[in-house]
Amino acid sequence: MTTTTTSPTPVLAGKVAFVTGGSRGIGAAIVRRLARDGAAVAFSYSSSQAVAEELARSLEAEGGRALALKIDSADAEALKAGIDQAARHFGGRIDILVNSAGVLHLGPVDQLTLADFDRTIAVNVRAVFVAIQAALAHICLLYTSDAADDLLC
């Protein structure tokens, strides 16, 4: 008796994800998992271009689709443009947004500069809001008006 097994369709097949801070650490693990589950994944990085490009290459070598974009999440216009670029690259859509970019300045509070504090807020708080707004412009195009109302579109 011959048994034929078919591999199931990956749970995120046909979906497009955007991950901020996706080149290293937790962000890179999220990018790898999304790709393994079938999503096309765009991710931002602020430094370590070689690391980001290697991650994208490794995902593509495994049959995934990836796009690494150099974006400083503290720069709202650059972040919005990057999300728009990712949507265009992957057929005009974003289905999943993961805000993983973050900065942490360690040391005594009395040695933390106002510029350090401003950057922390810009990346860890403001960029989350900016990315959500930018991604919603693409996510809301995918749903009927009833579902879009549930998403506050």
Side-chain angles (χ1 to χ4, degrees), residues 16 26 81 88 92 99-100 152-153:
V16 175
I26 293 169
R88 282 191 309 275
N99 284 295
S100 182
L152 302 175
C153 296

Side-chain angles (χ1 to χ4, degrees), residues 85-146:
Q85 179 182 353
R88 282 191 309 275
H89 183 82
F90 289 122
R93 64 186 298 159
I94 299 285
D95 301 282
I96 301 162
L97 171 67
V98 179
N99 284 295
S100 182
V103 296
L104 173 64
H105 298 283
L106 296 174
V109 170
D110 64 342
Q111 294 177 15
L112 183 70
T113 68
L114 189 54
D116 292 336
F117 179 79
D118 288 344
R119 178 151 180 80
T120 300
I121 295 301
V123 173
N124 296 359
V125 179
R126 186 171 180 253
V128 172
F129 176 76
V130 170
I132 290 168
Q133 280 192 324
L136 275 177
H138 301 285
I139 291 170
C140 290
L141 295 174
L142 305 175
Y143 297 94
T144 64
S145 60
D146 290 339

